[in-house]
Amino acid sequence: MSSSPLITAAASAAVVALAVANRVLYKLALVPLKAYPFFLAQLTTFGYVAVYFSMLYTRYRTGLVTRDMLALPKHRFVAIGLLEALGVFAGMSAGAMLPGPAIPILSQSFLVWQLIFSALLLGRTYSARQVIGCFLVVSGVILAVASGADDGQLLSDVKLIWPALMIASSAFHAGASILKEAVFIDGAKRLKGKRPDIFVVNSFGSGFQAVFVFLLLPFLSNLRGIKFAELPAYLNGGAECFLNVAESPIDCGGAPFLPLLFIMVNMAFNVSLLNLVKMSSAIVASLTATSAVPISIYILSLPLPYIPHGTELSTSFIIGAVILLMGLILYNLPQSSLKQLKAD
């Protein structure tokens, strides 16, 4: 079951707009919370569970979510939660050892992993045009992101295990995204053509992710340089800064407005992205969200409130953005050669 091209285009435009706002507002949210990025990460991980399940309950009471949707097998949700938590753990482990510009570049392997897992788990096949389009998107993003990096070899002094772990982190996240698509496809069969509500997938996936993140919390806090025994005091300090109360020992100007604005936009982005997965596919959703990367970099290069010093973009950034756009156009040309699911 697919949506009309016009509805899908509108949903894609919403994803791009929210993806740009999400990236820009995350940077702004870290201005007051610059000493507490780990607090913001845990607030989103555990806070979203409460919000998503509240929305799920409301939609169940109004009849938008049925008992059959809630009764869907949970093993895929457990796998999604585990993969997302492992992705966070691997990403934080590698991120602590890698130079900053290398992280977003290595993370572009996400789309490659999606192509592989989509073929293996969903039985999809892609034309050469679509594969080339995806790799153009990845190449464009890498060129745009790397344009601000220092000259020289980014990873010359880094052990191979750390970039490999960052690539593995992308694989975990990509696997989770393909499993979410599988939930929609399998759910449509079980629900006689009606796909599961996005809040069913969001709520149970986030719930199991929170469980696994909680189990990994001692290791995750150590990776951020926070001893587990010091974690309660750190979280308390983060809460004080988030609320911008007088007791906070550091300047938290911009809180709570900027962090709250980021949280609201981030939730809207997550919901819109999953909605696009439901309407199309995980790869289309990823390509759409990826197109926001150079736009976000451009906006962040401008003088912004709380970040008054802009930066000048290089020629390679412009070339990378053009290559990315070419890849998106190539992938989304009439897909007559794209085969559907083998099961169909």
Side-chain angles (χ1 to χ4, degrees):
M1 182 177 66
S2 59
S3 302
S4 70
L6 186 60
I7 295 176
T8 302
S12 298
V15 166
V16 173
L18 288 168
V20 172
N22 181 61
R23 285 177 174 270
V24 173
L25 287 171
Y26 177 68
K27 183 74 172 178
L28 291 174
L30 287 179
V31 172
L33 293 176
K34 54 184 175 291
Y36 299 103
F38 188 70
F39 168 82
L40 183 61
Q42 302 320 304
L43 179 64
T44 55
T45 297
F46 295 100
Y48 288 5
V49 174
V51 174
Y52 287 148
F53 272 101
S54 297
M55 291 295 298
L56 179 64
Y57 176 75
T58 302
R59 293 172 76 83
Y60 173 72
R61 296 287 295 179
T62 58
L64 294 173
V65 173
T66 64
R67 287 182 179 272
D68 289 338
M69 290 182 185
L70 297 177
L72 289 173
K74 301 299 185 293
H75 64 277
R76 280 197 179 96
F77 296 121
V78 175
I80 289 169
L82 177 60
L83 288 172
E84 294 281 21
L86 289 174
V88 171
F89 178 71
M92 289 183 67
S93 300
M97 304 301 294
L98 291 171
I103 296 173
I105 293 174
L106 292 171
S107 297
Q108 298 313 310
S109 62
F110 176 84
L111 190 55
V112 178
W113 285 114
Q114 276 194 318
L115 284 171
I116 295 171
F117 291 140
S118 179
L120 293 176
L121 301 179
L122 302 181
R124 292 191 186 277
T125 55
Y126 297 90
S127 66
R129 170 180 54 77
Q130 290 176 307
V131 174
I132 293 172
C134 286
F135 277 95
L136 281 176
V137 170
V138 172
S139 302
V141 173
I142 290 174
L143 187 58
V145 172
S147 64
D150 296 328
D151 294 333
Q153 299 295 321
L154 282 178
L155 304 176
S156 59
D157 298 323
V158 178
K159 292 183 179 179
L160 182 61
I161 181 63
W162 304 120
L165 203 56
M166 182 58 70
I167 293 172
S169 172
S170 295
F172 290 135
H173 288 305
S177 71
I178 297 300
L179 283 180
K180 290 177 183 178
E181 184 179 352
V183 169
F184 286 121
I185 295 171
D186 181 65
K189 296 175 183 177
R190 295 175 183 272
L191 301 172
K192 300 178 181 178
K194 185 176 182 180
R195 292 200 170 193
D197 186 84
I198 56 175
F199 281 96
V200 173
V201 181
N202 249 358
S203 299
F204 286 107
S206 298
F208 284 112
Q209 178 186 350
V211 170
F212 288 115
V213 168
F214 180 77
L215 295 175
L216 291 171
L217 207 52
F219 305 100
L220 293 174
S221 62
N222 278 325
L223 289 172
R224 299 298 299 185
I226 306 164
K227 295 180 180 179
F228 189 63
E230 301 171 352
L231 186 58
Y234 172 87
L235 295 177
N236 183 65
E240 290 178 349
C241 187
F242 177 80
L243 297 172
N244 202 5
V245 296
E247 290 82 359
S248 180
I250 65 174
D251 179 18
C252 300
F257 173 71
L258 290 177
L260 281 174
L261 188 59
F262 161 71
I263 289 171
M264 289 188 291
V265 170
N266 182 251
M267 290 184 63
F269 168 65
N270 290 334
V271 171
S272 68
L273 189 65
L274 189 59
N275 183 54
L276 189 56
V277 172
K278 178 180 177 180
M279 294 170 62
S280 54
S281 70
I283 290 179
V284 169
S286 293
L287 284 168
T288 303
T290 301
S291 66
V293 173
I295 303 174
S296 306
I297 294 174
Y298 170 73
I299 292 176
L300 288 170
S301 72
L302 303 173
L304 297 172
Y306 299 96
I307 310 178
H309 305 293
T311 57
E312 186 176 346
L313 297 175
S314 66
T315 304
S316 61
F317 170 83
I318 306 299
I319 296 173
V322 171
I323 292 174
L324 182 149
L325 183 60
M326 290 171 56
L328 288 174
I329 294 173
L330 187 61
Y331 184 91
N332 288 290
L333 286 173
Q335 300 181 19
S336 57
S337 60
L338 177 60
K339 297 179 182 178
Q340 300 300 318
L341 285 175
K342 295 178 180 179
D344 294 344

